[in-house]
Amino acid sequence: RDSGANPARFGMGVVAVAGSLMLLFAGFGMADSMNGQVRTAFVEESTYTARAALAASADLDSLEEVAPDGQRVQEVVVRTDPTDGFDRAMTVLDDGHYVHLEMLDGSAADLGVVSVSEATARRLELAAGDAVRLELPAGQGTVDLRVDQVVRGSAPQGFTMSREVWESLGQTFTPTTLLVGDETSLVELRGRADVVSVLTLQAQRTNAADMVTDLGGIFMLIRVFAILLAVIVLYSLGALAFTERTRDYATLKVLGFTTRDLRRLAFRENIVATALGVLLGVPAGFWFLGMYVGTFSTARLEYTAQIGLASIGIATLIAVFFSLLTTVLLGRRIRRVDMVG
């Protein structure tokens, strides 16, 4: 009844817990999202050992002798129609088994047809069966495509097709990258004049993981502010409530209520506010994480909001613990209520 008499104060307590949980979801979820992107890009979608950037005059026949397990790839930056003002990547795959894409339902995608990544399809409002025009660089003309499927993918964002499809459009397959496996000698590959650079998949994965580690301080700062939000707001509200209820507490003590009884009253109110805050904070946390992760995404790189069950549990426990901690701190003040005064 007392909480109902001051709904604004009680509501602020609920908002404090929900807001704290939202920030904790962002603090834990950003790390999970970026680590998930690293795992998707460099473990699930790619299984090559190294990728070699080829010079324009590369001798493909002699390269095949050095890298018998190689897969040739042509990567081109194109403009699109319809467009959102940003360029996209077009990837043409020769025969090989180093690139793996998934459909939106999780099944393996057919790499022999024209595919568009999910984020690109959303930004350009494309669906399977829609037509799209690609403007090639350096005045090489345009290519009209019909999208066969929408696939998952984080980077690069754009279109993927097979060499057969590309050549059936009247285009020439000109490899810019060579993906190789364990059978290829990287030392010999690096020694060739027609190979610009060689980068291992492990090095790419390490660089991406290091970037996530470097951002760990920012994620920790978000978690700290989330805890401060819960503690400062809830303690301030509790202190205000205590000041308003001092006469009530003294009267209840005179009537025979013990300090433990009075603490229970304060504890129940905090429990209800915390429970409501968690119920609101969990769905709000997922929403906020999705919005926050979206600020890191670009037209060429898409991050997907991900948060593990362990992170959800830890975030919830932290919010609940520090929320209830304020009750313990205020309980010490209840013990010092002066009944005579």
Side-chain angles (χ1 to χ4, degrees):
R1 283 199 305 272
D2 190 64
S3 298
N6 198 331
R9 184 181 64 213
F10 181 77
M12 281 300 299
V14 174
V15 170
V17 177
S20 174
L21 197 53
M22 285 173 60
L23 287 177
L24 286 169
F25 265 55
F28 285 99
M30 277 303 302
D32 288 355
S33 299
M34 289 192 166
N35 284 321
Q37 193 271 343
V38 172
R39 182 175 59 255
T40 299
F42 301 114
V43 176
E44 299 172 1
E45 294 181 0
S46 304
T47 56
Y48 56 84
T49 300
R51 58 182 294 137
L54 304 179
S57 58
D59 187 344
L60 300 179
D61 292 333
S62 61
L63 268 174
E64 189 171 351
E65 297 176 2
V66 176
D69 59 348
Q71 180 179 8
R72 303 172 185 177
V73 179
Q74 180 178 354
E75 297 172 315
V76 182
V77 177
V78 297
R79 294 183 179 273
T80 64
D81 182 18
T83 182
D84 60 350
F86 295 96
D87 295 342
R88 292 299 191 283
M90 184 197 66
T91 304
V92 182
L93 302 173
D94 201 355
D95 294 336
H97 56 276
Y98 296 124
V99 179
H100 311 275
L101 297 178
E102 287 185 350
M103 301 290 289
L104 301 184
D105 60 2
S107 60
D110 181 5
L111 299 183
V113 298
V114 177
S115 306
V116 60
S117 55
E118 181 182 8
T120 297
R122 183 175 64 252
R123 289 171 180 258
L124 300 183
E125 299 181 353
L126 295 175
D130 289 348
V132 60
R133 172 167 293 181
L134 305 184
E135 181 181 342
L136 303 179
Q140 299 178 40
T142 60
V143 177
D144 292 323
L145 301 177
R146 184 168 298 279
V147 175
D148 294 308
Q149 60 187 11
V150 180
V151 298
R152 290 178 179 172
S154 55
Q157 284 294 312
F159 303 86
T160 304
M161 68 191 76
S162 66
R163 176 179 179 176
E164 289 74 13
V165 172
W166 180 242
E167 290 180 339
S168 70
L169 297 171
Q171 302 298 319
T172 302
F173 179 67
T174 307
T176 58
T177 304
L178 181 67
L179 308 180
V180 298
D182 295 332
E183 298 179 18
T184 299
S185 170
L186 299 186
V187 175
E188 188 175 355
L189 195 62
R190 287 189 175 99
R192 292 184 58 92
D194 52 1
V195 173
V196 178
S197 63
V198 177
L199 183 62
T200 65
L201 183 64
Q202 180 61 42
Q204 291 176 275
R205 187 163 57 240
T206 300
N207 292 337
D210 288 344
M211 183 190 70
V212 178
T213 302
D214 292 339
L215 293 172
I218 297 176
F219 303 147
M220 180 58 67
L221 188 63
I222 295 175
R223 298 168 196 168
V224 171
F225 275 111
I227 294 171
L228 289 176
L229 172 66
V231 173
I232 293 175
V233 173
L234 290 177
Y235 185 82
S236 299
L237 292 172
L240 177 62
F242 174 82
T243 301
E244 295 176 351
R245 296 170 179 169
T246 301
R247 186 184 299 273
D248 298 335
Y249 288 150
T251 303
L252 291 173
K253 274 193 173 184
V254 171
L255 294 175
F257 278 66
T258 64
T259 299
R260 180 177 296 179
D261 294 329
L262 297 179
R263 284 175 177 170
R264 276 202 201 99
L265 291 176
F267 183 73
R268 287 172 186 167
E269 180 182 26
N270 207 348
I271 278 289
V272 174
T274 300
L276 291 176
V278 170
L279 289 176
L280 292 175
V282 170
F286 282 113
W287 170 82
F288 182 68
L289 176 61
M291 297 296 291
Y292 190 50
V293 169
T295 63
F296 287 79
S297 300
T298 66
R300 302 286 296 278
L301 174 63
E302 180 75 10
Y303 285 103
T304 303
Q306 302 178 44
I307 182 169
L309 290 177
S311 296
I312 294 174
I314 293 172
T316 304
L317 287 176
I318 289 176
V320 171
F321 172 78
F322 283 99
S323 174
L324 299 182
L325 179 64
T326 60
T327 305
V328 177
L329 298 176
L330 291 170
R332 301 172 60 185
R333 301 181 64 176
I334 294 176
R335 188 178 61 225
R336 297 194 296 267
V337 170
D338 182 5
M339 291 182 290
V340 177

